[in-house]
Amino acid sequence: MDREGVTRLVRRVGMPVLAMVLALGIGGVMVAGLGHSPLTAARTVLDAGFGCNADYCNLSGTLALAGPIVLCALGAVVSLRSGLFSIGQEGQYALGGLAAAVTGSALSLPGGVHPVVALAAAVVVGALWGVIPALLKVFLNVNELIITIVLNAMAGLLLDFLVNHPLRAEASTVGYTKPVDASARLPVFDPSTKFGLGFVIAVVACVAVWFFLSRTTTGYEQRMSGEALDFARYSGMSSTASVLRAGLLGGALAGLGGGVQVLGTNYRVIEGFSDGTGFTGLTAAILGGTTAIGAALAGILYAGITVGAVNGLQIVLGVPREIGSTTLALMIVLVALQAPLLAKIEAAADRRRAAGKRGDPPDDPAKEQAPEKAEAAP
């Protein structure tokens, strides 16, 4: 790699890291304002979110929480990279989880088949819900941002209705479905934290999405439809097909996240199951630069800080856990700001290189006049 490529890589990697460090620094200032040492708070969060010892492994709890977040984040990555600005992961996650719960409790299947069928139902329902905004955008030119907001609200209301009435297990203050059969539950490696096969599924999905977007012809078409639409059309690529695929694949991944949450952790759907996990996945996708690997790492980071803020800041130090959420929000804002700033920096660098190759004079006339003034001076 030449010097120019190294410089560009350092900028693209360094600026998001700098944005995250700055956000953590601001979070440290807030902790200091409450009378606690920022370094002590940071160590407490890291230990509570990512530590592991012989008695209890906090990292397992973080990974168990991260699985559905990563899957929702991957759904957002596929949609955003393909030119479909969908924020409907929350509704897809909720209905996918409900489909898994119904399939897991209503069918009697062997242990090796039952979870596969239940997850397949979650994938199908999530995909069908996810393709709705894509269809409306392609054929009716409806703004997908608005329609996904509406669909999220509709999915939450529909889930609460079904859980409280036709699918209600028994009379109680809160509606919930029947528990899924033991044959439909995902294997668990650590019963105390519910860390199990769900996270492995998320890792496999991350690799699959990375390979699809980076190493396949169809994935290239998806990326070009989102990054260079005019080029894609001129090259004969179908933007319509790309948007529809994005809706299906993005919804399928978010629906799979709901299925993993139900079959691996909750074992039923409770009223209010639509708890913001889909929006958290969207946040992780943005924080990870809308890349599969970055979104997965951001999802794990988000889960770790969330667990650390509750078990560390709030329980151990008595610091409100909202500081952790505020720090994550600052990360998103600063990472979002660095993207256009980086584009301007690289554009200015490209102009300077082009001017140097043509032998054009520098942009600052003062630099040109300085030597003349020096010669004219006695």
Side-chain angles (χ1 to χ4, degrees):
M1 184 180 295
D2 58 6
R3 182 177 178 181
E4 177 185 336
V6 172
T7 303
R8 188 183 296 268
L9 178 62
V10 169
R11 280 199 299 260
R12 292 191 174 184
V13 174
M15 291 191 68
V17 172
L18 179 61
M20 294 182 189
V21 171
L22 181 58
L24 291 173
I26 296 173
V29 171
M30 290 188 291
V31 170
L34 296 175
H36 296 274
S37 169
L39 293 179
T40 301
R43 285 195 297 267
T44 303
V45 170
L46 289 176
D47 182 65
F50 300 97
C52 198
N53 53 50
D55 298 327
Y56 186 81
C57 187
N58 296 315
L59 179 60
S60 296
T62 293
L63 297 181
L65 178 63
I69 295 175
V70 170
L71 288 167
C72 290
L74 294 174
V77 167
V78 172
S79 297
L80 296 176
R81 293 292 296 274
S82 303
L84 180 66
F85 195 79
S86 169
I87 61 172
Q89 291 75 32
E90 182 68 16
Q92 298 150 15
Y93 163 86
L95 294 184
L98 183 62
V102 172
T103 309
S105 61
L107 300 180
S108 297
L109 297 172
V113 178
H114 206 170
V116 175
V117 174
L119 289 178
V123 167
V124 170
V125 171
L128 292 176
W129 198 256
V131 81
I132 293 174
L135 289 169
L136 294 176
K137 176 180 179 178
V138 167
F139 295 109
L140 297 178
N141 198 28
V142 177
N143 187 295
E144 68 270 29
L145 177 61
I146 296 175
I147 194 62
T148 48
I149 292 174
V150 175
L151 287 174
N152 282 337
M154 291 176 60
L157 293 172
L158 178 61
L159 182 142
D160 288 344
F161 165 74
L162 293 175
V163 166
N164 277 290
H165 295 286
L167 300 179
R168 193 183 185 102
E170 57 188 31
S172 63
T173 56
V174 178
Y176 53 83
T177 64
K178 295 179 180 178
V180 298
D181 294 344
S183 60
R185 299 179 182 182
L186 295 175
V188 174
F189 309 142
D190 184 1
S192 62
T193 61
K194 299 293 182 67
F195 168 62
L197 188 62
F199 182 75
V200 177
I201 293 173
V203 172
V204 172
C206 175
V207 175
V209 170
W210 169 82
F211 184 84
F212 170 71
L213 291 176
S214 304
R215 296 292 184 270
T216 66
T217 302
T218 305
Y220 177 76
E221 293 179 358
Q222 296 295 123
R223 291 188 290 112
M224 289 301 101
S225 295
E227 298 170 8
L229 182 57
D230 292 337
F231 168 78
R233 289 173 175 172
Y234 182 78
S235 301
M237 303 177 190
S238 174
S239 59
T240 298
S242 296
V243 170
L244 294 177
R245 273 195 301 265
L248 287 170
L249 293 175
L253 287 165
L256 180 61
V260 164
Q261 179 68 27
V262 169
L263 301 181
T265 303
N266 295 2
Y267 303 138
R268 68 174 76 214
V269 169
I270 303 175
E271 180 184 356
F273 177 73
S274 181
D275 58 357
T277 301
F279 291 120
T280 302
L282 176 64
T283 299
I286 297 172
L287 187 60
T290 62
T291 63
I293 305 299
L297 294 176
I300 295 173
L301 175 66
Y302 198 105
I305 293 180
T306 301
V307 172
V310 174
N311 296 340
L313 290 181
Q314 184 163 290
I315 295 177
V316 176
L317 297 181
V319 176
R321 63 181 178 179
E322 286 76 13
I323 287 183
S325 301
T326 303
T327 302
L328 289 169
L330 284 171
M331 284 186 187
I332 298 166
V333 172
L334 293 174
V335 169
L337 288 176
Q338 63 86 30
L341 179 61
L342 179 60
K344 291 184 178 181
I345 292 174
E346 292 188 347
D350 291 339
R351 286 196 298 270
R352 285 196 300 269
R353 283 192 298 269
K357 291 179 180 179
R358 293 195 305 266
D360 293 345
D363 295 334
D364 188 359
K367 294 181 179 179
E368 293 181 339
Q369 297 173 4
E372 297 177 0
K373 291 181 180 180
E375 292 176 1

